Amino acid sequence: MTGDASQDLTRFLGDDRFATVLADPPWRFANRTGKVAPEHRRLSRYPTMTLDDICALPVADHLEDRAHCYMWVPNALLPDGLRVLAAWGFEYKSNIVWHKVRKDGGSDGRGVGFYFRNVTELLLFGTRGKNARTLAPGRRQVNMLQTRKREHSRKPDEQYKLIEDCSWGPYLELFGRGVREGWTVWGNQADADYKPDWKTYAYNSSLAAE
């Protein structure tokens, strides 16, 4: 991914169109001290984007007439997530809650939060076009995932099976890490050899596979 994300996405996708989009945007926000996370120098892990730049990504130009979107958004930035969904051509319908748990199944309280200690994150769900209900498994799927944390910002791999069961392809992942069979993955960490280069939890993706 180059400096101009919109142009890079356009070049990368060409004339391809997709029916399901999964996105984990690199949200930018500041706390009351004025320090911006996660790009603050003490926490530097990956580049972030402004809300306007995320909204400006030409996602709508690469969608089929009937499509689904799954978008990760921090609890504090829910209004921003809804704005991006609309900018990309989707109508918000529901959400899936990721409950981050410890090995013993209790809530993992290592999350951040100025008002409450966050142990959840939201996966917003939106649709485009007519007759865009989820597939039959989606109407049996509960809207909660309960898994342990992995490296910073990485979402649970369980999301892929859920999405593939509930929504049809072709599948596009934006701001993805690594590659996945059957998906087109775009992002500056979207390569087969991706590994985190920052301090992370002991329970991360490389250990989980062992």
Side-chain angles (χ1 to χ4, degrees):
M1 188 166 67
T2 64
D4 190 319
S6 291
Q7 291 183 10
D8 188 272
L9 182 60
T10 297
R11 286 193 296 267
F12 180 78
L13 296 181
D15 295 327
D16 292 346
R17 291 182 176 270
F18 300 88
T20 296
V21 178
L22 167 63
D24 185 15
W27 304 102
R28 181 178 301 175
F29 58 93
N31 60 22
R32 69 175 184 172
T33 67
K35 296 177 181 178
V36 180
E39 70 273 16
H40 183 254
R41 58 188 173 81
R42 289 192 303 105
L43 302 171
S44 181
R45 294 172 173 128
Y46 53 82
T48 59
M49 293 174 63
T50 67
L51 175 59
D52 286 344
D53 285 344
I54 296 172
C55 286
L57 290 172
V59 177
D61 295 340
H62 297 277
L63 297 176
E64 295 187 349
D65 292 339
R66 196 171 59 110
H68 288 167
C69 183
Y70 297 80
M71 179 185 297
W72 288 103
V73 61
N75 293 327
L77 300 182
L78 175 57
D80 293 353
L82 295 172
R83 178 175 160 187
V84 173
L85 268 183
W88 289 359
F90 293 97
E91 182 179 355
Y92 171 75
K93 295 297 183 182
S94 187
N95 64 73
I96 297 168
V97 178
W98 177 25
H99 178 208
K100 304 170 187 181
V101 297
R102 303 185 305 260
K103 185 176 182 179
D104 65 6
S107 295
D108 189 334
R110 290 176 292 177
V112 298
F114 185 73
Y115 296 99
F116 304 100
R117 183 62 50 188
N118 283 314
V119 297
T120 63
E121 198 163 341
L122 294 176
L123 182 60
L124 305 185
F125 175 73
T127 66
R128 164 189 170 99
K130 297 180 179 179
N131 301 316
R133 290 187 68 187
T134 51
L135 299 174
R139 299 191 283 278
R140 299 188 297 269
Q141 173 67 49
V142 299
N143 71 325
M144 177 175 284
L145 288 172
Q146 297 189 81
T147 71
R148 296 172 66 190
K149 289 180 181 178
R150 298 167 69 177
E151 61 263 23
H152 174 81
S153 183
R154 184 155 180 160
K155 304 308 185 290
D157 279 351
E158 289 82 354
Q159 66 180 335
Y160 295 107
K161 183 178 188 310
L162 186 156
I163 292 171
E164 291 167 356
D165 285 348
C166 299
S167 301
W168 53 92
Y171 300 101
L172 170 65
E173 182 174 6
L174 301 177
F175 308 104
R177 293 175 175 175
V179 296
R180 181 175 179 82
E181 185 177 355
W183 288 70
T184 297
V185 183
W186 175 81
N188 60 12
Q189 296 171 333
D191 59 73
D193 298 322
Y194 166 74
K195 288 181 178 159
D197 56 5
W198 53 73
K199 184 177 180 181
T200 186
Y201 300 113
Y203 181 78
N204 58 36
S205 56
S206 59
L207 296 177
E210 295 178 354

